[in-house]
Amino acid sequence: MSSALTDLCRYPIVQAPMAGGTSCPQLVAAVSEAGGLGFLAAGYKTADGMYNEIKQLRGLTGQPFGVNLFMPQPGLADPSAVEVYQHQLAGEAAWYETPLGDPDSGGDDNYDAKLAILLEDPVPAVSFTFGCPTRDTLDAFAAVGTYTVVTVTTPEEAQTAQWAGADAVCVQGIEAGGHQSTHRDDPQTDGAGIGLLSLVSQVRETVQIPIVATGGLMRGSQIAAVLAAGAEAAQLGTAFLVCPESGASPLHKQALTNPLFVRTALTRAFSGRPARGLVNRFMREHGPYAPAAYPQVHYLTAGLRKAAAKAGDAQGMALWAGQGHRMARELSAGRLVRLLAEELDAARAAVSTGSTQ
């Protein structure tokens, strides 16, 4: 590991920022205390909400942690397509007895206000999703001592991040649960993402900055594989989602290993942007018709998803999950970090022993 990453965590294990309440202060603190690098998810929160969670987290741990920000999205959505989808969801609103949300609730996710807070009261690390910040922004974080990471899905995006001045890139393979962090949302490329091992190797030959690899990773042996491919750390989301410290709903946690949900798929049904989740009724019925309209569709379906969770109906929820979801282990976050580190050491030892025979 590079010295900068080594300073942030004892093990090359990063807990992915999962928006929607999953990556809560309790989970982040437990991961960082165990020697990993925990990340708060600031997406969908107000600037004050983010700041309050940072204060809460600092009260739980003195170890380094990170905060993830969503980049503002260009207003390219077709209003008429959103309106058509709104009509299609009318039956869902009636079924769950809840109104559809306002698709125009917000597009910039309070980005500038969050930047101001994080620059005035710096945290150890900040990562970015759905795009790359300007050089001025990344330089400003460098000036206050914050380590910056830009999430990328192609070698070209990684190169853009390096040129802009990012300290590292988080390379996201198509196996990853939740949203694909493409910098440009192009419906023509839906499902055309690159597998993690291949992508890490390609990015390693494209940029000189450190790589954090993410996408479907659930075991220490897989972490060893991405490190061998050129990454300096691995980021895991689904693996931590089932931990007791996670803020995910019990229904979501149970669904990951429920035989009823046999596969994952990429869908725009819940947010208007490609995201990987467990295939359920809502995804099957509405995925084929959902427009490329993020975050409009996210706000449109927010009430439906909450109502489904309240009703105990996993078939109407966004059950984000990576391709390795069936390998989830119900362990405390601290125990999981330590077990992953043990598995990583064992995998490295096995390779070393094999190479000397």
Side-chain angles (χ1 to χ4, degrees):
M1 293 173 65
S2 69
S3 59
L5 279 175
T6 302
D7 289 343
L8 291 175
C9 49
R10 186 185 325 142
Y11 305 122
I13 298 169
V14 179
Q15 164 252 308
M18 295 169 279
T22 300
S23 295
C24 57
Q26 291 78 9
L27 176 62
V28 178
V31 170
S32 291
E33 282 289 309
L37 180 62
F39 259 89
L40 280 177
Y44 308 133
K45 292 186 175 71
T46 64
D48 285 343
M50 177 196 74
Y51 182 61
N52 288 333
E53 286 206 344
I54 292 172
K55 286 199 300 182
Q56 185 180 350
L57 177 56
R58 284 173 169 153
L60 296 172
T61 181
Q63 298 300 316
F65 63 89
V67 174
N68 175 259
L69 300 180
F70 284 173
M71 294 295 298
Q73 299 300 291
L76 302 177
D78 179 357
S80 62
V82 175
E83 187 176 353
V84 168
Y85 194 54
Q86 195 165 359
H87 287 305
Q88 181 179 331
L89 295 177
E92 298 283 350
W95 175 258
Y96 290 114
E97 298 181 340
T98 189
L100 294 172
D102 177 6
D104 299 315
S105 295
D108 67 354
D109 202 51
N110 299 291
Y111 178 73
D112 289 336
K114 291 172 182 174
L115 283 185
I117 289 172
L118 293 170
L119 288 171
E120 182 178 336
D121 189 5
V123 298
V126 171
S127 65
F128 300 87
T129 295
F130 301 148
C132 183
T134 64
R135 172 167 284 280
D136 285 347
T137 295
L138 292 170
D139 285 348
F141 277 114
V144 297
T146 295
Y147 193 83
T148 53
V149 184
V150 174
T151 310
V152 302
T153 60
T154 65
E156 293 75 20
E157 291 175 353
Q159 198 166 51
T160 296
Q162 178 175 267
W163 287 340
D167 291 312
V169 286
C170 180
V171 174
Q172 183 195 52
I174 197 165
E175 305 94 333
H179 285 97
Q180 292 286 295
S181 187
T182 52
H183 291 192
R184 179 172 175 268
D185 184 15
D186 182 0
Q188 300 299 317
T189 62
D190 280 6
I194 305 171
L196 181 59
L197 279 176
S198 177
L199 184 57
V200 167
S201 299
Q202 291 179 45
V203 172
R204 182 70 289 155
E205 294 186 4
T206 305
V207 301
Q208 287 73 51
I209 56 178
I211 291 171
V212 178
T214 191
L217 304 176
M218 304 292 287
R219 295 287 188 268
S221 58
Q222 294 172 300
I223 296 175
V226 295
L227 297 184
E232 304 212 14
Q235 179 172 285
L236 293 78
T238 306
F240 286 104
L241 195 151
V242 296
C243 294
E245 299 92 342
S246 156
S249 75
L251 280 176
H252 193 168
K253 294 181 180 184
Q254 294 161 10
L256 293 181
T257 53
N258 186 336
L260 185 65
F261 301 101
V262 297
R263 65 186 182 93
T264 65
L266 291 169
T267 185
R268 292 179 180 270
F270 298 101
S271 72
R273 221 180 198 279
R276 183 175 298 282
L278 301 176
V279 176
N280 61 3
R281 178 194 61 78
F282 195 102
M283 189 189 296
R284 286 191 297 268
E285 292 183 2
H286 302 294
Y289 312 104
Y294 176 87
Q296 289 87 347
V297 172
H298 164 79
Y299 290 114
L300 190 65
T301 66
L304 297 178
R305 290 179 274 123
K306 290 177 183 175
K310 186 176 181 180
D313 182 9
Q315 295 294 339
M317 298 169 59
L319 303 171
W320 302 139
Q323 288 185 342
H325 66 95
R326 297 299 288 273
M327 301 167 72
R329 299 178 282 199
E330 296 182 29
L331 302 170
S332 70
R335 175 63 186 131
L336 179 56
V337 169
R338 292 187 291 272
L339 180 57
L340 289 168
E342 291 167 8
E343 292 173 344
L344 170 59
D345 287 343
R348 285 170 157 170
V351 171
S352 177
T353 302
S355 66
T356 59
Q357 291 179 347

